Amino acid sequence: MRSDQPLLSVRNVSHHYGERAGCLDVSFDLWPGEIIGIVGESGSGKTTLLNCLSARLRPSVGQVLYDQRTRGLVDLYELSEAERRFLIRTDWGMVHQNPRDGLRLGVTAGANIGERLMAVGERHYGQIRDKALDWLGRVEIDTARIDDLPQTFSGGMQQRLQIARNLVTGPRLVFMDEPTGGLDVSVQARLLDLLRGLVARLHLSVVLVTHDLAVVRLLAHRLMVMQRGQVVETGLTDQVLDDPQHPYTQLLVSSVLQA
Amino acid sequence: MKTQAIDVRGATKNFRLHTQGDVEIGVFQDLSLTVEFGSCVALHGPSGCGKSTLLRALYANYRIDRGSIRVRHDQGWVDMAIATPREILAVRQRSLGYVSQFLRVIPRVATLDIVAEPLRQRGVPDDVARDQAVILLRRLNVPERLWELAPATFSGGEQQRVNIARGFIAGFPIMLLDEPTAALDAENRAVVKEIILEAKAEGRAIVGIFHDAEIRAAVCDQLFELAQFKAAA
């Protein structure tokens, strides 16, 4: 892996819904192994931007370039639909806030993990099952539950299963949309700790969208603060949180209740 | 001649509080400071004069409005005031350590792992990093029964010693210390004093805030008075 070149390069991306701007003129580079947090209240354009970055919403203006292993930086929206889908399946992961959006509830936990492996060409049943068992262990789910349906899992377990399903194929880039959103605080802490260890060990690049400043403090190297579709402040995570410059960031940081 | 570790020139820091009527608070103005390897500089002055703010600015945790903050990194200089986040993280990973006044506790992470983390981030294998952590925790008298626990419930003094162990484990050439002995008893203050003196003897540079006059006298080569840079009200 080259580390002298960004993995993802976002250049002047805007998206308009009719007259209204979803996100406006966003540019940044994401480097291998780097975690960037995108924070802002609901309606600030975080999710629109995430969709543009993850090849699910063609921006009205601008480019999203991705470093493909063999071809260097390519414009996501110039790829054919088949190429784009292959990229999403092999090189990327997507962790949704609601695990139900990222899991197949009608098949077992093992099959949820195995399905991603089969999508990248793994065919040997024994190996697929072994990898599924290994990943259940890594996300701290009792391996005896491998043949159970995710419906029988708690919210925190479902979220961990979703993470295992995403990471089993060894992606380089993972998008996360409020990964700790619907969980109890104690469950959140466990998930955060797990994520922290996994991203560091696997040298993953992550685009992390959240409104929870404690989550970005723990996970993100760098922050972008969004308001009304625009990036109003960006910098090192601890710098932005401890010495915020923009009025909106100051408001955001000062509004957090100390427990 | 000794090599410079830190070279601050013309640094000015104001806080603008947008949510509180745009009040502007000047902290320091046109401040210059140099620190050499093998020496220890104590930031000095009354409470509120900007000692911690300067320390944080050296670490690029706070930004400055004007001036430069050059820090020695890989035989060259990095100006922390204008460096990119990637450059700052590289400086923090290899050249510059910071011991904050209070430990930031991470839920569920064991003391040993908190201490070992700076080494691990640098690519040192887990078991080697943990062995180093054991040596430091033992030296700082953190009881062994606490090592596998998360420090959330530890006393102030125990947390501070965990923080010091974490700060010193990586052997950074430059160390920033914010009142490293504030919560410690005499025995542990003496240990920290030894650790600082050893670091100096190894040729490392130290900038610190030391309220404890005895420690200050024992480790510091120079007092840096901040009051002279007070911004005009």
Side-chain angles (χ1 to χ4, degrees):
Chain A
M1 173 154 35
R2 288 185 306 268
S3 56
D4 56 343
Q5 177 173 302
L7 188 64
L8 187 75
S9 184
V10 182
R11 302 190 181 165
N12 307 102
V13 164
S14 298
H15 188 77
H16 300 276
Y17 299 103
E19 290 287 286
R20 203 168 58 78
C23 63
L24 259 181
D25 200 25
V26 177
S27 298
F28 70 93
D29 286 335
L30 182 72
W31 298 81
E34 189 177 45
I35 304 173
I36 189 164
I38 304 176
V39 298
E41 56 203 26
S42 34
S44 60
K46 306 185 300 269
T47 302
T48 299
L49 179 61
L50 188 73
N51 288 339
C52 288
L53 302 183
S54 58
R56 289 179 304 164
L57 179 67
R58 180 185 289 273
S60 320
V61 185
Q63 289 180 303
V64 182
L65 306 176
Y66 180 73
D67 179 27
Q68 253 197 330
R69 291 173 210 249
T70 49
R71 293 162 65 186
L73 285 177
V74 291
D75 187 334
L76 286 183
Y77 293 95
E78 309 244 298
L79 294 174
S80 71
E81 187 56 36
E83 288 174 312
R84 201 153 50 222
R85 239 182 280 140
F86 183 74
L87 179 73
I88 292 173
R89 259 203 329 252
T90 56
D91 244 18
W92 289 8
M94 175 82 209
V95 176
H96 299 270
Q97 170 169 10
N98 188 340
R100 286 152 202 271
D101 296 333
L103 291 175
R104 293 222 296 142
L105 296 179
V107 302
T108 64
N112 264 283
I113 300 176
E115 190 180 52
R116 279 271 295 193
L117 284 171
M118 285 162 70
V120 297
E122 188 83 61
R123 286 291 174 266
H124 187 283
Y125 176 78
Q127 281 172 9
I128 292 174
R129 193 167 171 92
D130 285 348
K131 276 197 185 171
L133 283 168
D134 175 45
W135 268 94
L136 284 176
R138 289 214 227 179
V139 297
E140 304 175 13
I141 294 174
D142 181 356
T143 48
R145 304 289 304 265
I146 187 167
D147 296 318
D148 293 350
L149 295 176
Q151 279 157 336
T152 65
F153 287 7
S154 70
M157 281 168 75
Q158 287 182 356
Q159 195 56 300
R160 280 178 274 134
L161 181 61
Q162 191 191 183
I163 287 163
R165 173 179 161 97
N166 270 281
L167 299 187
V168 67
T169 53
R172 291 197 293 164
L173 174 60
V174 179
F175 298 96
M176 298 187 186
D177 189 3
E178 303 277 6
T180 57
L183 303 174
D184 290 338
V185 182
S186 60
V187 179
Q188 264 189 30
R190 180 175 188 184
L191 188 74
L192 279 173
D193 175 31
L194 186 79
L195 278 176
R196 211 169 143 266
L198 287 173
V199 291
R201 219 164 302 129
L202 303 171
H203 201 63
L204 288 177
S205 299
V206 179
V207 177
L208 168 69
V209 165
T210 179
H211 65 270
D212 190 331
L213 299 182
V215 169
V216 286
R217 164 118 36 205
L218 213 55
L219 290 179
H221 299 111
R222 213 150 45 96
L223 269 195
M224 292 200 309
V225 183
M226 291 189 74
Q227 184 193 30
R228 290 190 219 105
Q230 279 174 302
V231 175
V232 295
E233 183 161 358
T234 156
L236 269 182
T237 300
D238 63 83
Q239 213 176 50
V240 173
L241 294 181
D242 294 339
D243 189 16
Q245 308 288 312
H246 190 274
Y248 177 67
T249 318
Q250 290 191 355
L251 180 68
L252 210 61
V253 170
S254 67
S255 303
V256 176
L257 292 175
Q258 302 266 317
Chain B
M1 206 185 100
K2 286 188 171 173
T3 320
Q4 283 182 357
I6 295 175
D7 179 25
V8 181
R9 291 193 196 172
T12 297
K13 173 66 183 171
N14 303 306
F15 286 110
R16 252 171 308 276
L17 308 180
H18 293 287
T19 57
Q20 295 176 60
D22 280 333
V23 175
E24 183 156 318
I25 300 172
V27 186
F28 48 74
Q29 213 169 25
D30 202 21
L31 178 151
S32 297
L33 161 72
T34 57
V35 182
E36 289 170 342
F37 283 110
S39 75
C40 174
V41 172
L43 307 182
H44 200 240
S47 174
C49 74
K51 301 185 292 291
S52 285
T53 299
L54 175 57
L55 212 57
R56 284 165 177 260
L58 295 176
Y59 199 60
N61 175 231
Y62 283 0
R63 307 174 211 221
I64 54 172
D65 300 84
R66 278 190 301 283
S68 63
I69 294 178
R70 295 197 306 159
V71 169
R72 187 72 70 173
H73 175 63
D74 293 349
Q75 275 93 50
W77 289 107
V78 172
D79 183 351
M80 300 296 271
I82 53 168
T84 63
R86 284 186 90 214
E87 290 170 325
I88 293 171
L89 289 176
V91 171
R92 290 181 181 179
Q93 204 170 80
R94 296 201 295 276
S95 301
L96 183 65
Y98 170 59
V99 177
S100 57
Q101 207 174 340
F102 301 103
L103 177 69
R104 189 176 281 284
V105 178
I106 305 169
R108 288 216 328 156
V109 180
T111 294
L112 259 180
D113 292 317
I114 288 180
V115 174
E117 192 181 28
L119 277 183
R120 222 183 273 141
Q121 277 175 351
R122 218 190 255 182
V124 174
D126 274 13
D127 48 337
V128 179
R130 276 185 148 231
D131 287 349
Q132 280 297 316
V134 163
I135 292 171
L136 268 166
L137 287 171
R138 206 166 261 150
R139 185 163 181 197
L140 284 155
N141 302 307
V142 176
E144 188 166 349
R145 63 191 155 77
L146 300 181
W147 296 352
E148 293 295 339
L149 304 178
T153 54
F154 293 7
S155 74
E158 284 162 349
Q159 290 196 5
Q160 186 160 43
R161 280 175 281 148
V162 172
N163 212 16
I164 290 169
R166 176 184 162 91
F168 276 92
I169 193 169
F172 294 112
I174 309 172
M175 288 296 298
L176 310 172
L177 309 176
D178 194 347
E179 295 210 45
T181 57
L184 303 187
D185 58 26
E187 186 193 353
N188 285 306
R189 277 205 302 274
V191 175
V192 173
K193 184 174 84 183
E194 261 174 41
I195 290 178
I196 295 173
L197 288 173
E198 278 172 24
K200 261 173 62 174
E202 286 162 13
R204 293 150 66 185
I206 291 156
V207 182
I209 301 169
F210 305 94
H211 277 197
D212 179 338
E214 191 197 319
I215 288 268
R216 195 167 62 224
V219 301
C220 289
D221 306 290
Q222 186 197 334
L223 278 189
F224 183 78
E225 293 288 350
L226 260 94
Q228 52 180 320
F229 303 104
K230 189 75 202 156

